[in-house]
Amino acid sequence: MAEDLSIISGTKKEQYESLLPQINGLLTGEPDLVANLANVVAALKEQFNWLWVGFYLVKENELVLAPFQGPVACTRIRKGKGVCGTSWEKAKTIIVPDVEKFPGHITCSSLSRSEIVVPLIRNNEVVAVLDADSDELNYFDETDQFYLERIVELIPVSVP
């Protein structure tokens, strides 16, 4: 297990390329889901300093707030509601350049300007979503999508 992260500057791609093996090291050998989600969130927040980053777990047909860093967040989200619920419903990553223009956007923080939500899929079923918010418009792009999708694939999740 890694004890420290090596935080680098550089292009977004370079930052992710440095972070990906470090996150893999944090996850290797640790079976506890909450511990792993917490470390992934901490690593992403430390590297990118986004406004908010965290997970929602699918529980009894709702998304329920899981480990996160940032301002206080919405606790439960229904399927198809907001960006997170839509990502869950469609089982695909959603990038929102301007949250004010996303139909049905749920405002957990008035500081959020753009967002990306990546579903964590196991056995063809969404079991969680990774949500990241920025206080800048048009912050997230295909580079974020590519690497965040790789990161969620690394997370060991037991599906009943």
Side-chain angles (χ1 to χ4, degrees):
M1 177 178 144
E3 299 205 6
D4 289 313
L5 285 178
S6 174
I7 302 304
I8 70 157
S9 55
T11 67
K12 198 183 281 192
K13 180 179 185 222
E14 290 168 338
Q15 291 178 63
Y16 278 115
E17 288 286 339
S18 171
L19 193 59
L20 199 58
Q22 295 182 82
I23 287 176
N24 191 43
L26 289 169
L27 299 173
T28 300
E30 177 52 63
D32 187 83
L33 179 61
V34 172
N36 285 328
L37 297 181
N39 269 334
V40 169
V41 166
L44 289 168
K45 178 72 170 168
E46 198 167 331
Q47 177 63 58
F48 295 105
N49 197 31
W50 294 325
L51 173 67
W52 195 95
V53 59
F55 286 93
Y56 283 90
L57 297 174
V58 175
K59 292 185 177 184
E60 298 179 15
N61 212 32
E62 286 183 301
L63 289 173
V64 180
L65 185 62
F68 75 93
Q69 291 197 11
V72 172
C74 303
T75 305
R76 294 176 183 270
I77 300 172
R78 292 191 320 259
K79 194 171 203 173
K81 301 298 180 188
V83 183
C84 290
T86 302
S87 175
W88 173 25
E89 181 178 63
K90 295 183 177 195
K92 71 174 207 168
T93 298
I94 297 178
I95 298 172
V96 181
D98 182 348
V99 296
E100 298 294 326
K101 295 180 180 175
F102 187 87
H105 176 255
I106 300 169
T107 305
C108 294
S109 170
S110 61
L111 299 175
S112 177
R113 295 288 174 254
S114 59
E115 185 171 3
I116 185 170
V117 179
V118 179
L120 198 155
I121 301 170
R122 298 296 183 271
N123 299 331
N124 297 313
E125 184 178 331
V126 177
V127 297
V129 297
L130 170 62
D131 181 18
D133 291 45
S134 174
D135 57 3
E136 297 176 34
L137 289 170
N138 301 303
Y139 181 85
F140 300 103
D141 58 24
E142 295 76 21
T143 300
D144 297 290
Q145 178 175 351
F146 177 82
Y147 286 100
L148 292 175
E149 287 175 352
R150 304 290 90 61
I151 288 168
V152 300
E153 288 171 2
L154 294 173
I155 300 169
V157 179
S158 303
V159 179

